[in-house]
Amino acid sequence: MKLIGKNSVSKYFSYFFLVLFLFIAFHFIYEIIGFSVLYYKYKTGSNILSEYFLLGNDVGWAKNEYTNPIKDVLKFKIYYPFTEQNLLTGIYTKSFIINSLISSSYFTVFSFVCYKITEALGKDYIFNLKTINWFKKLAWLSILFVPIQIINWFFNLNLKMSASLLYISFIFLSLGIILFFIIAFFKKGYELQSENDLTI
């Protein structure tokens, strides 16, 4: 089976990324709803939707060996709707919420752009401006994530420089640079294809 073009592996990958995007987007939207409900509960003391959105000093994990030293802080737990399956648990702080939303929003957009790229690669003519533009968006998305993550790391999470931050930054910068090489290749292919179309 072909890697790119009509009825290729790229076409089936586009289905995979579409499902992945819908799955991650659902989580992101539900996270926003969850944090909104938790904020309302925090401000008003309401017990609204308490079976799905828990807020308190004990949300079912206070006896954990890692959380015993911080058992008096406010914690939260968000369950999947209509289930007892945990979606997200943590300490209810602004920094935790911002960090969670940054990650979720990035991977939502990332999976959507990957879907659009693989969908474009599943067409008859892959060397087109639409494909090039989606590759550009993915490249800039990867590169812009690095300063966002650095700002989040130092100013939101108040963490010190670590190997994890360097590792994450290196991966996303490398991905962005590699994508710009791919863009140059696709631009050349588009130029050659356009010239060939004109001669015909």
Side-chain angles (χ1 to χ4, degrees):
M1 183 178 278
K2 299 181 294 182
L3 288 175
I4 55 177
K6 199 172 181 180
N7 297 321
S8 64
V9 173
S10 295
K11 181 182 176 183
Y12 297 104
F13 261 110
S14 72
Y15 298 146
F16 166 76
F17 279 114
L18 176 60
V19 172
L20 185 65
F21 162 69
L22 293 172
F23 179 74
I24 296 173
F26 164 76
H27 280 78
F28 178 48
I29 293 166
Y30 191 65
E31 251 184 69
I32 293 170
I33 293 168
F35 286 132
S36 300
V37 172
L38 290 172
Y39 181 76
Y40 178 77
K41 288 166 77 100
Y42 175 72
K43 284 294 186 182
T44 63
S46 169
N47 287 322
I48 185 173
L49 300 170
S50 56
E51 63 271 26
Y52 302 121
F53 308 102
L54 281 65
L55 184 67
N57 297 119
D58 181 8
V59 292
W61 51 288
K63 294 182 180 179
N64 184 299
E65 61 178 302
Y66 301 105
T67 59
N68 271 336
I70 52 171
K71 61 186 175 183
D72 294 327
V73 300
L74 197 59
K75 307 178 189 94
F76 75 91
K77 184 179 280 190
I78 299 173
Y79 288 104
Y80 282 98
F82 312 112
T83 71
E84 294 181 359
Q85 180 63 44
N86 182 28
L87 168 70
L88 190 62
T89 305
I91 298 166
Y92 189 73
T93 60
K94 184 175 74 172
S95 60
F96 186 98
I97 293 166
I98 291 170
N99 182 59
S100 181
L101 291 175
I102 286 172
S103 299
S104 296
S105 60
Y106 173 79
F107 286 109
T108 302
V109 176
F110 183 86
S111 59
F112 177 74
V113 176
C114 286
Y115 157 64
K116 296 304 286 185
I117 287 172
T118 50
E119 181 188 44
L121 292 175
K123 305 288 185 186
D124 282 331
Y125 296 100
I126 62 166
F127 296 113
N128 58 66
L129 292 175
K130 191 175 178 182
T131 308
I132 292 166
N133 286 332
W134 282 113
F135 269 117
K136 276 184 186 176
K137 286 173 185 173
L138 187 60
W140 282 114
L141 183 67
S142 300
I143 288 172
L144 290 174
F145 183 69
V146 175
I148 291 169
Q149 187 61 20
I150 290 170
I151 291 166
N152 180 50
W153 188 275
F154 289 114
F155 297 101
N156 179 43
L157 299 175
N158 294 315
L159 297 173
K160 294 179 180 179
M161 177 61 77
S162 75
S164 297
L165 180 61
L166 292 173
Y167 182 69
I168 291 166
S169 300
F170 174 77
I171 287 174
F172 283 97
L173 277 175
S174 299
L175 177 61
I177 292 165
I178 290 166
L179 284 166
F180 277 116
F181 278 104
I182 293 170
I183 290 164
F185 168 76
F186 269 79
K187 278 183 177 178
K188 191 66 178 175
Y190 175 69
E191 287 170 10
L192 292 171
Q193 185 175 279
S194 299
E195 287 172 11
N196 186 51
D197 291 342
L198 286 171
T199 54
I200 292 170

